[in-house]
Amino acid sequence: MGLLLLILTAALVDLAVKSAIEEADPSEFPRELEGSRGVIMLHRNQNAGFPMGIFRNKPELVKGLPVVVLSGVAGIFFWVYPKRGHLAEKLGTSLVLGGGLSNLYDRMKKGYVVDYFSIRVGKLKKVVFNLGDIFIFLGAGMMLLAEIAEAVRER
């Protein structure tokens, strides 16, 4: 039950932040996130494509592919959910689902994903993310590390 709550919480937190960003006056962006010493900038971007606007001119693909990918991740989640242990896989798939559902909701409802922050370090300066993206990245990383650990154990 806790993992389902994690999925729901991740999606709802990201959607709440996206809503607050969209309700704010556009002239307030971009701006520094208070207390971040200039490391985090807030933006108000509407991304109709995949990361960095890829395929923004192919809305059917941009809506359909995430449905397929999230369906696969949901299958993995429900396959591993009843098993004992496998905490990294369970947490990883939960984070991917939470972030993915938030972004999918945006794509289906609005036709774009709201991206709202950038990290002012190296090449990341040019990339604007949302929390859903971070959840997906962290979750996928956890899943990958769990698979590597499993492969090492089997050797």
Side-chain angles (χ1 to χ4, degrees), residues 13-64:
V13 165
D14 188 40
L15 287 169
V17 175
K18 289 173 179 177
S19 178
I21 291 290
E22 286 214 300
E23 289 173 7
D25 182 354
S27 67
E28 295 180 17
F29 301 98
R31 73 172 189 259
E32 180 181 321
L33 177 65
E34 227 175 281
S36 73
R37 297 186 205 165
V39 175
I40 299 175
M41 295 294 292
L42 295 179
H43 302 267
R44 186 175 183 222
N45 290 2
Q46 298 174 343
N47 185 356
F50 289 129
M52 294 175 280
I54 297 169
F55 293 124
R56 68 178 156 268
N57 297 327
K58 303 213 178 276
E60 296 82 21
L61 176 68
V62 172
K63 286 181 178 180

